[in-house]
């Protein structure tokens, strides 16, 4: 490429860098720096986060553990977790709905699991599903460190596509009053339809889905708005530590199959 052609593209490159500077920063922190730290430490980011929690958080205090994770994500390595602003929305809805049983698809490091478990009504139960065994092992330790036993929080290792059909028989889940989708947005629609097909959603159940605007779940939102079975509301937020990158939590209320 000649210097003249390169100079002709320079204004466009500068414009893109300025317009998407927050996205480039996010890319740097979540891909490049994270990969470097993975190679350097021989540990995954959630394992490094748990090591930090062990030395800085108070065992048996879920709130302090959550605050410690937030601090680590902001000042050490970006964790790609829900964060405190979205977390407030989640806790408020769990407390408002007072669900007897909650299903979480996508445990990850256990951050949202602690939020839900801490807001459950007395006798409430949370089943959380994580596909990756190594990630699930970290989440399990974090959940128990926070003081939640297996009667309150049951962690299931496996893909949501395989776990959902056997929830009734193997995990005694006949219905779930609230579902949180935080795994991969491209699987949200598939898993929502699986929950419907296996009659796990009673009328009035609430389905919450994170990251529906970034990276986005357009097919999921289109289905929820057009199928006639849900009332939809979108809670607009930004990403933790990147408020300029707009995201949102979808809140669906199931009206029943009819």
């Amino acid at each position: 490429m000649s210097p003249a052609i390169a100079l002709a593209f320079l204004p466009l490159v500068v414009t893109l860098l300025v317009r998407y500077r927050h996205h480039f920063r996010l890319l740097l922190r979540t891909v490049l720096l994270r990969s470097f730290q993975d190679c350097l430490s021989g540990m995954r980011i959630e394992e490094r986060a748990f090591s930090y929690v062990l030395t800085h958080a108070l065992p048996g205090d879920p709130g302090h553990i959550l605050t410690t994770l937030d601090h680590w994500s902001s000042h050490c390595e970006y964790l790609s977790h829900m964060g405190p602003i979205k977390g407030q929305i989640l806790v408020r809805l769990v407390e408002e709905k007072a669900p007897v049983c909650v299903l979480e698809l996508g445990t990850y490091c256990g951050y949202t699991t602690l939020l839900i478990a801490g807001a459950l009504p007395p006798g409430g139960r949370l089943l959380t599903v994580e596909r990756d065994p190594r990630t699930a092992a970290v989440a399990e330790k974090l959940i128990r460190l926070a003081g939640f036993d297996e009667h309150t929080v049951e962690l299931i290792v496996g893909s949501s596509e395989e776990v959902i059909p056997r929830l009734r028989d193997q995990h005694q889940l006949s219905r779930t009053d609230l579902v949180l989708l935080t795994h991969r947005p491209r699987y949200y629609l598939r898993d929502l339809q699986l929950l419907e097909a296996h009659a796990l959603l009673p009328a009035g159940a609430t389905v919450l889905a994170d990251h529906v605007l970034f990276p986005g779940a357009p097919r999921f939102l289109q289905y929820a708005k057009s199928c006639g079975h849900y009332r939809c509301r979108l809670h607009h937020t930004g990403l933790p530590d990147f408020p300029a990158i707009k995201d949102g939590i979808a809140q669906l209320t199931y009206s029943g199959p009819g």
Side-chain angles (χ1 to χ4, degrees), residues 167-193:
L167 283 172
R168 190 183 304 273
D169 294 334
Q170 296 187 14
H171 300 279
Q172 294 73 54
L173 179 68
S174 59
R175 52 185 280 169
T176 177
D177 306 301
L178 190 147
V179 179
L180 175 63
L181 307 176
T182 59
H183 49 327
R184 300 199 176 191
R186 68 174 179 265
Y187 297 146
Y188 286 3
L189 177 56
R190 179 200 71 189
D191 290 345
L192 181 67
Q193 291 175 330

Side-chain angles (χ1 to χ4, degrees), residues 32-47:
L32 301 180
L33 292 180
R34 184 176 297 178
S35 298
F36 175 75
Q37 290 289 351
D38 288 351
C39 293
L40 192 65
S41 67
M43 302 167 65
R44 291 184 179 181
I45 185 170
E46 58 269 19
E47 294 169 332

